[in-house]
Amino acid sequence: SPNSRWADLHSTIVPSEPPPLCVDLTLHPPRDDDIHSSDANNIPVLIRERHGWCHFSSRVWLALELRAGGSRYNTYLLESRGDTYDGADDDDVSYQRPDFLEGLTLPRLKLPGSNEWLGADTEEDLLQLLQTLDAAYDDNDNPPLFPCDRVRELAKAFADCAPAARESRRAAWLFSAEEGYRLDALPESTFVGVLDRAEGLLASTDGPFFVGSSITAADIVWTPLLERYAAQLPCLHCGLSPRGDLNERWPRLQQWYKAMDTAPIYTGRIRGDAPSWRKVLYSDPWWPRADLWHPRDTVGPKGELQATEEECIEAFGGISTEGESSVWSAYASTRPHVASTARKEAASVLVRNHKAILPDVANWLYEEGYDKIPEEDLDSALRQIAVLLSSNGTVDEVSKNVAMLLTYLDARLCVPRDMGYLPATCIRKLLQTLTVNQNG
């Protein structure tokens, strides 16, 4: 029942296999010994940016998932540095890095049998890291990242195709690098040119991916730009939608997006979602708060986003409910630590993290100006949501606190930081269903 104790919910909802080690170092003070201790286990260690915004981190994460094939590795999460308006560290962010990471950028990867921390500071560094990672898994059955020379050619072409833009790991390839205009989106013609070049490269090979029928290093290199462009370009230029190509200007690009939608590892855990990418555009330092405003010759004017969240979701695209089910099943089949369905995985994440979620709900209610809800009522409502998700329950009769908790989850979810695209979609759909039912 919705009043089940958390221990009961944990035993019935959360998979018995514990998940691989994943430590958020912004929440837990780091110790170098903790990170280096995994050497004894001879498993990979990945240190990456925690939100999923850093395009170098997300590429290495995807590559490791593809080549390791569900094998366990340790992950440590950190905030990105040097991504404020002027490129300096944010003095307001209080976090500590392991000593050996001071002065280094993210990500950092250590492979089995090696004491070297591989990094990716440039596109060329990234390709070298991907090749080293690929070679380290030469003896497993997963498809190689570099099956032919053409893969490296198309991956290297990315650096020439990506637009000149303000440096940012989190809001890359979007804003002008020219001082005085660095909050202005790049011209529409610039974005169209990038998409034209991607279309040309895709059309030069058999698909649906950049080279053939499986994801290679070329897809890994291009994915962060094409993913965020699908969600963010409609917000910056009215009618510019890479996935809503009514004039069929980019037919091979449409095929590529659809193929990536059905890639279990990417869509199961690493892909972001439209609400999360849209929120980036309302966050400092890319779209400053009103109290940070300056004259035009200093930072440029604040504009309004050209697409609502609903329009952004539609432009970002996705797959059918049946397709979601098969993709999640394929993802979960090699990962015993995840639930059998995306809805159950969403419930599992809520149960595992309920002790951190409940205080954050109380803070959010206060910040948003809502009336205070007793702690025991919040606790009960969160448990009810977990039960609804895990049991495919209906939302015909739920308390107003359940509706408030779903609103909070919808507002606070950051994908893929908190969970994968498919489980997060289940939570957002539950809120939509409740809203429709309440509005009659």
Side-chain angles (χ1 to χ4, degrees):
S1 74
N3 293 320
S4 299
R5 294 181 296 112
W6 284 111
D8 293 336
L9 289 179
H10 195 282
S11 65
T12 58
I13 293 175
V14 177
S16 58
E17 178 78 10
L21 179 69
C22 183
V23 180
D24 191 332
L25 297 179
T26 63
L27 305 176
H28 306 281
R31 296 190 310 177
D32 284 8
D33 290 346
D34 293 338
I35 298 176
H36 293 297
S37 66
S38 58
D39 292 353
N41 299 322
N42 200 33
I43 63 175
V45 181
L46 174 63
I47 306 175
R48 60 177 175 84
E49 183 267 329
R50 66 191 294 258
H51 297 284
W53 294 335
C54 168
H55 49 89
F56 284 113
S57 286
S58 63
R59 288 144 143 180
V60 175
W61 184 18
L62 177 56
L64 184 58
E65 283 281 342
L66 288 166
R67 284 305 264 140
S71 301
R72 299 176 79 87
Y73 59 90
N74 292 348
T75 301
Y76 294 89
L77 306 176
L78 278 169
E79 290 282 2
S80 180
R81 278 189 172 177
D83 212 6
T84 55
Y85 172 79
D86 60 3
D89 290 346
D90 188 347
D91 294 332
D92 295 333
V93 177
S94 58
Y95 57 82
Q96 179 186 356
R97 288 189 166 205
D99 291 341
F100 78 93
L101 275 179
E102 286 301 329
L104 299 177
T105 58
L106 300 179
R108 294 288 144 173
L109 173 68
K110 183 153 59 174
L111 292 167
S114 172
N115 289 320
E116 180 184 3
W117 286 99
L118 305 174
D121 296 325
T122 66
E123 295 294 332
E124 188 60 37
D125 289 344
L126 174 69
L127 284 180
Q128 184 59 52
L129 188 156
L130 295 181
Q131 287 184 301
T132 303
L133 188 160
D134 198 34
Y137 288 94
D138 243 356
D139 57 350
N140 72 15
D141 296 330
N142 298 308
L145 303 181
F146 292 88
C148 62
D149 292 340
R150 184 60 174 157
V151 170
R152 182 169 177 82
E153 292 173 9
L154 295 183
K156 286 188 70 173
F158 175 83
D160 296 326
C161 296
R166 174 152 61 91
E167 287 292 330
S168 173
R169 293 292 180 101
R170 295 177 286 180
W173 311 299
L174 292 174
F175 295 104
S176 171
E178 184 179 352
E179 191 59 47
Y181 299 87
R182 296 175 71 199
L183 292 175
D184 288 2
L186 295 173
E188 181 175 351
S189 58
T190 297
F191 293 128
V192 169
V194 174
L195 297 172
D196 283 345
R197 289 189 285 276
E199 174 71 18
L201 293 174
L202 284 163
S204 69
T205 67
D206 294 331
F209 297 101
F210 269 89
V211 180
S213 59
S214 62
I215 296 176
T216 66
D219 302 283
I220 291 171
V221 168
W222 276 90
T223 290
L225 178 144
L226 294 175
E227 177 187 314
R228 70 187 68 203
Y229 271 16
Q232 292 177 329
L233 294 195
C235 296
L236 300 176
H237 291 287
C238 186
L240 180 56
S241 179
R243 296 201 64 168
D245 181 19
L246 299 180
N247 297 320
E248 297 185 352
R249 180 168 182 153
W250 305 300
R252 277 289 283 112
L253 189 55
Q254 308 311 305
Q255 293 177 22
W256 181 85
Y257 276 122
K258 291 176 181 177
M260 290 298 292
D261 287 344
T262 60
I265 291 172
Y266 169 66
T267 296
R269 185 63 189 95
I270 296 172
R271 182 193 195 206
D273 73 351
S276 300
W277 281 123
R278 189 175 184 274
K279 288 172 190 173
V280 167
L281 299 179
Y282 274 122
S283 303
D284 301 335
W286 319 288
W287 221 270
R289 301 185 305 269
D291 61 346
L292 294 182
W293 231 203
H294 301 278
R296 167 73 205 180
D297 60 359
T298 305
V299 296
K302 181 176 181 178
E304 294 300 323
L305 297 186
Q306 302 298 307
T308 65
E309 182 172 298
E310 291 74 18
E311 291 169 338
C312 188
I313 291 171
E314 182 178 359
F316 192 61
I319 52 180
S320 66
T321 302
E322 295 76 15
E324 290 177 354
S325 177
S326 61
V327 168
W328 184 264
S329 294
Y331 174 70
S333 66
T334 58
R335 290 163 176 79
H337 60 277
V338 304
S340 58
T341 69
R343 280 181 66 112
K344 289 182 178 179
E345 178 67 10
S348 177
V349 172
L350 296 183
V351 172
R352 280 191 176 120
N353 296 285
H354 73 274
K355 290 182 179 179
I357 293 172
L358 290 169
D360 192 58
V361 177
N363 291 335
W364 180 81
L365 290 171
Y366 175 78
E367 292 171 357
E368 296 296 320
Y370 291 109
D371 293 336
K372 184 178 180 180
I373 299 176
E375 183 178 346
E376 58 271 20
D377 292 345
L378 291 177
D379 187 277
S380 176
L382 188 58
R383 280 186 275 122
Q384 188 172 351
I385 291 171
V387 171
L388 285 169
L389 287 166
S390 65
S391 63
N392 267 340
T394 62
V395 291
D396 296 331
E397 297 182 9
V398 296
S399 70
K400 65 178 181 179
N401 292 336
V402 168
M404 183 62 70
L405 258 292
L406 284 170
T407 301
Y408 154 82
L409 290 170
D410 182 57
R412 291 285 284 144
L413 268 177
C414 175
V415 180
R417 181 192 67 191
D418 302 318
M419 62 182 71
Y421 166 79
L422 294 176
T425 299
C426 293
I427 291 177
R428 299 195 197 280
K429 285 182 177 179
L430 191 62
L431 175 61
Q432 292 169 3
T433 302
L434 176 62
T435 302
V436 169
N437 290 350
Q438 289 182 336
N439 293 337

